[in-house]
């Protein structure tokens, strides 16, 4: 089993998949724009030009301005930082919890496994959107809490996927050989288990990011997520809806940006799945 | 079968109890009392208020009082709206939310299954690509964007349909139901296409063809029963999702349903209202998940075997 060739094959297949590549490049460009937003953005996100007010797209303000005369393009660029940050950090949280949970349950099996997975089953049946809203109400609308809360919701599927993979690996000769040699549990996970389940983890992580971003935007749209003066794409869409009758551009551009990003992430995730796991792509 | 049913119900009860208890104590962690935002009142008035809302009793007492109320459907008074009880608000809002969710689900199921099955039958033709492209759009355009866009196009520009209210103007139920149902139509279309493709390749379908059955009866009598199983197991999560969607749709279209009450309560920090609706929503979602799992067991003999 040659590990590097699996990944080389995957990269080759991924490059051949045009939709996935366009998606991946779009995401990459967005990340770069978000990181360099303070240098790229023509105005500060809070700079107000009250005399100007809401103005349609023009040469000075490429995407127009909002009611307070703030440049929409700049606000979208700064919003990208928040939206993408939520996407990646919350997915990271979900990854850490889900992978550890799945590895422990799958590797130790027996009582431990059945108790841990029963907990996952029970949590699966609960209305999590409501719990996130509950947390935001009780502990205030704090951005780090938002990361943790969303991450704490999204780990369940990850735990199931990882557990199934680990159970498959556990009975292979190289793992049993390592057990006989007395390798400790920690280094067993790090050196032998984790590297072999990176593929499914990568696939699921990529497909979790758009879901997380959707959840954040949903909360921000309801006014329960990101609070002003910070703004995510969800908050911008919220403001856009409030004034869409007179100032359509305030809804159209944030909405378009958000949708394109979700498209790009989904296409890239699908492409990654097809590339790493050609079997499932047949149907 | 009865065994499974009993076991699942027996698991659901303690789960619900734990959820309700956790929510109750969580709410108590929230900073500030329910009357802090009001104008300054004398200690005596404060004391009376606390007594009126049973807040002066020891915590365990409050907990048992509350829980015994919940069992008989009494969720206590609203902190924000004096004179109104949480149960009363649930009972006025619920039928509207149910109706909205029902229409949305009908749209989602009808549209989703029709286009999904069609796409599977006409694989790799225009009738496959076109609905699937629309479905991808449905998944990537969130409800809170779809709603306003529909309002802008059909309500404001074309002036075809009313854009707010429920049961006040003719046709005012159409846009909210479409908005809420569209994303689920998209998911169901993808699921039924995948499920149908899997089944259509199997031997018993070939046998049915060899017997000379008509294509219509092969699809409706043989393929759909197995091919739509993924859709049936999606129903539980879908209903939970519709509830979350109703928060958004009822806010956009100003529909006086439970979803909007909940969002308003969260906004106003109406703690008893949040507590009551959370417990109520949890019970509903656990119930619908149970229902959809049982439906899958009923339809799929193979899932029954390994129980």
């Amino acid at each position: 089993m040659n590990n590097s060739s699996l990944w080389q094959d995957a990269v080759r297949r991924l490059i051949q998949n045009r939709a996935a590549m366009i998606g991946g490049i779009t995401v990459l460009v967005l990340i770069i724009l978000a990181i360099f937003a303070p240098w790229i953005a023509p105005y500060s996100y809070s700079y107000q030009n009250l005399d100007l007010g809401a103005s349609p797209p023009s040469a000075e303000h490429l995407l127009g301005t909002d009611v307070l005369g703030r440049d929409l393009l700049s606000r979208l660029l700064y919003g990208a930082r928040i939206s993408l940050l939520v996407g990646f950090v919350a997915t990271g949280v979900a990854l850490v919890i889900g992978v550890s949970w799945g590895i422990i349950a799958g590797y130790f099996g027996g009582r431990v496994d059945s108790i841990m997975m029963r907990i996952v089953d029970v949590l699966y049946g609960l209305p999590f959107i409501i719990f996130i809203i509950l947390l935001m109400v009780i502990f205030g609308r704090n951005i780090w809490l938002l990361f943790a809360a969303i991450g704490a919701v999204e780990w369940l599927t990850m735990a199931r996927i990882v557990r199934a993979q680990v159970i498959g690996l556990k009975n292979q000769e190289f793992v049993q050989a390592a057990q006989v040699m007395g390798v400790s549990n920690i280094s067993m996970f790090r050196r032998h288990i984790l590297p072999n389940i990176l593929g499914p983890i990568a696939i699921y992580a990529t497909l979790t990011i758009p879901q997380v971003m959707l959840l954040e935007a949903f909360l921000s749209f309801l006014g329960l997520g990101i609070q002003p003066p910070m703004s995510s794409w969800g908050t911008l869409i919220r403001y856009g809806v409030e004034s869409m009758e007179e100032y359509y551009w305030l809804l159209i551009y944030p909405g378009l940006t958000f949708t394109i990003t979700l498209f790009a992430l989904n296409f890239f995730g699908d492409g990654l799945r097809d590339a790493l796991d050609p079997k499932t792509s047949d149907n | 079968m009865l065994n499974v049913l009993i076991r699942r119900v027996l698991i659901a009860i303690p789960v619900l109890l734990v959820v309700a208890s956790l929510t109750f104590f969580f709410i108590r962690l929230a900073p500030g009392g329910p009357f802090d935002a009001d104008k300054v009142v004398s200690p005596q008035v404060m004391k009376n208020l606390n007594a009126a809302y049973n807040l002066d009793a020891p915590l365990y007492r409050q907990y048992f009082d509350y829980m015994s109320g919940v069992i008989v459907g009494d969720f206590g008074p609203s902190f924000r709206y004096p004179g109104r009880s949480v149960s009363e608000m649930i009972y006025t809002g619920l039928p509207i939310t149910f109706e909205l969710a029902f229409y949305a689900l009908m749209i989602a199921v009808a549209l989703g299954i029709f286009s999904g099955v069609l796409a599977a039958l006409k694989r790799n033709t225009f009738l496959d690509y076109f609905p699937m492209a629309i479905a991808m759009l449905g998944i990537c355009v969130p409800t809170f964007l779809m709603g306003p866009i529909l309002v802008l196009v059909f309500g404001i520009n074309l002036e075809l349909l009313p854009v707010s209210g429920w049961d006040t103007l003719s046709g005012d139920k159409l846009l909210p139901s479409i908005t809420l149902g569209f994303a689920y139509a998209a998911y169901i279309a993808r699921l039924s296409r995948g499920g149908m493709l899997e089944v259509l390749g199997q031997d018993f379908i070939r046998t049915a063809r060899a017997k000379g059955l008509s294509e219509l009866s092969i699809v409706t009598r043989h393929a759909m029963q197995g091919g739509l199983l993924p859709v049936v197991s999606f129903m539980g999560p879908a209903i939970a999702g519709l509830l979350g969607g109703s928060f958004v749709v009822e806010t956009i279209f100003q529909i006086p349903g439970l979803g909007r009450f909940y969002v308003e309560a969260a906004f106003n920090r109406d703690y008893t209202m949040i507590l009551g609706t959370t417990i109520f929503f949890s019970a509903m979602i656990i119930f619908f998940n149970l229902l959809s799992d049982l439906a899958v067991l009923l339809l799929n003999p193979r899932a029954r075997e390994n129980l």
Side-chain angles (χ1 to χ4, degrees), chain A residues 107 170 172-183 185 188:
Chain A
Y107 187 75
K170 198 168 65 172
Q172 294 200 5
E173 283 90 352
F174 73 95
V175 174
Q176 288 171 343
Q179 276 171 340
V180 171
M181 285 167 66
V183 172
N185 282 335
M188 175 74 89

Side-chain angles (χ1 to χ4, degrees), chain A residues 29-63:
Chain A
V29 168
L30 279 165
I31 292 172
I32 292 169
L33 287 177
I35 291 173
F36 294 103
W39 294 277
I40 300 170
Y43 302 86
S44 153
Y45 69 98
S46 54
Y47 169 77
Q48 301 182 355
N49 185 346
L50 288 169
D51 296 335
L52 184 63
S55 68
S58 63
E60 291 88 64
H61 300 278
L62 289 176
L63 300 181

Side-chain angles (χ1 to χ4, degrees), chain A residues 122 125-127 130-131 133-134 137-138 141 214 217-218 221-223 237 241 244-245 251 255 258-259 262-263 266 282, chain B residues 15 19 23 26 30-31 123 136 140-142 144-145 148 151 156 244 248 262 266-267 269 274 278 281-282 285 289:
Chain A
V122 167
L126 296 180
I130 296 171
F131 278 98
I133 294 179
L134 195 71
V137 170
I138 295 172
R141 292 150 201 174
L214 209 54
F218 167 82
F221 178 82
L222 292 178
I237 292 174
V241 169
M244 65 181 179
E245 285 176 47
L251 175 64
F258 187 67
T259 307
L262 288 191
F263 257 113
N266 276 321
D282 291 341
Chain B
V15 167
V19 169
T23 318
F26 251 155
R123 194 181 183 185
M136 194 66 185
C140 288
V141 179
F144 53 83
L145 197 55
V151 167
I156 295 166
V248 168
Y262 182 72
F267 225 85
R269 296 172 159 264
I274 297 171
T278 301
F281 281 147
S282 308
I285 286 171
N289 274 329

Side-chain angles (χ1 to χ4, degrees), chain A residues 105-109 165-172 175-176 179 193:
Chain A
Y107 187 75
F108 292 112
Q165 295 285 328
V166 171
I167 287 175
L169 273 179
K170 198 168 65 172
N171 297 319
Q172 294 200 5
V175 174
Q176 288 171 343
Q179 276 171 340
I193 305 269

Side-chain angles (χ1 to χ4, degrees), chain B residues 9 22 47 65 99 132-133 166 198 212 220 229 231 255 257 264:
Chain B
V9 173
L22 274 181
K47 207 172 152 215
D65 286 347
E99 201 187 346
M132 286 305 121
W166 188 256
E198 207 163 287
T220 54
L229 269 182
V231 177
I255 297 167
E264 272 172 15

